[in-house]
C-alpha cells in the first residue's frame, strides 16, 4: 500500500499519476486499485493575480522526480502568508502533479526551491514525460 499526495489540483482537471510497485512477481500483478481517502474541495487561499514570475526553472527526470526553482514579484500585494504552487504537465497537456512552498511575512519578491520524487514517469513512455510547468501564487496557506 502506498500513499500519494497532491497539494493542489486545478478545477476541472484530471490528475494522471504513475506509481511504481516492486514485487517478487510483477508479471502476476493484474491491477492496482487507487482511491482518494481524503480531499478538501475548498481552497481557503485566493490567487494573487497581479503576481508575476520573474524567473523559474524546472528539472524533470523520469526516475528522479522534479525540481523547481522560482522567483515571484508580488507586485505590491502584502499577504501574511503566500503559497507558491508549481503545476506540472506532460507533452499532451495533462496535469501530472504539483508541489508547493509557503512563506510567512514575505518580502516584495519571494523565492521558492522545492522538489519531489513522487512525480515520476516510466522512461519508455516518451509522450508522457513532464515537460512544462505553471506557477500559481496564493494569498494564504493551503
Amino acid at each position: 500500500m502506498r500513499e500519494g499526495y497532491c497539494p493542489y489540483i486545478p478545477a476541472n482537471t484530471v490528475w494522471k499519476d504513475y506509481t511504481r510497485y516492486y514485487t517478487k512477481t510483477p508479471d502476476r500483478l493484474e491491477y492496482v486499485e487507487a482511491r482518494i481517502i481524503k480531499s478538501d474541495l475548498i481552497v481557503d487561499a485566493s490567487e494573487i493575480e497581479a503576481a508575476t514570475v520573474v524567473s523559474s526553472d524546472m528539472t524533470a527526470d523520469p526516475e528522479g522526480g522534479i525540481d523547481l526553482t522560482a522567483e515571484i514579484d508580488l507586485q505590491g500585494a502584502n499577504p501574511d502568508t503566500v503559497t507558491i504552487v508549481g503545476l506540472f504537465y506532460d507533452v499532451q497537456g495533462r496535469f501530472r502533479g504539483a508541489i508547493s512552498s509557503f512563506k510567512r511575512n514575505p518580502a516584495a519578491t519571494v523565492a521558492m526551491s522545492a522538489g519531489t520524487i513522487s512525480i515520476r514517469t516510466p522512461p519508455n513512455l516518451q509522450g508522457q514525460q513532464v515537460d512544462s510547468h505553471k506557477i500559481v501564487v496564493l494569498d494564504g496557506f493551503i
Side-chain angles (χ1 to χ4, degrees):
M1 185 166 96
R2 291 193 180 184
E3 290 185 16
Y5 172 75
C6 187
Y8 182 89
I9 300 175
N12 304 314
T13 299
V14 174
W15 174 23
K16 183 164 184 137
D17 186 42
Y18 290 97
T19 304
R20 177 177 283 170
Y21 292 90
Y22 294 100
T23 67
K24 292 181 181 178
T25 55
D27 55 325
R28 294 173 58 190
L29 183 66
E30 291 181 21
Y31 70 93
V32 174
E33 182 178 316
R35 59 191 171 112
I36 297 172
I37 57 172
K38 183 180 178 196
S39 65
D40 187 352
L41 300 178
I42 305 296
V43 176
D44 293 329
S46 58
E47 187 171 354
I48 302 174
E49 295 183 23
T52 58
V53 178
V54 176
S55 64
S56 70
D57 184 49
M58 175 193 76
T59 303
D61 180 82
E63 296 294 322
I66 293 177
D67 291 306
L68 176 68
T69 57
E71 182 180 0
I72 312 295
D73 185 338
L74 296 178
Q75 297 292 327
N78 192 20
D80 292 331
T81 303
V82 65
T83 301
I84 304 167
V85 182
L87 307 172
F88 302 101
Y89 299 89
D90 67 15
V91 238
Q92 312 271 335
R94 291 176 294 217
F95 178 67
R96 292 297 313 283
I99 56 175
S100 64
S101 176
F102 74 95
K103 308 282 183 194
R104 295 192 193 278
N105 303 314
T109 302
V110 293
M112 87 172 285
S113 179
T116 181
I117 61 167
S118 66
I119 303 173
R120 295 190 285 184
T121 308
N124 61 322
L125 299 178
Q126 293 302 319
Q128 298 182 42
Q129 302 299 324
V130 172
D131 83 329
S132 66
H133 68 282
K134 177 183 174 185
I135 294 177
V136 176
V137 183
L138 303 171
D139 179 345
F141 180 76
I142 59 168

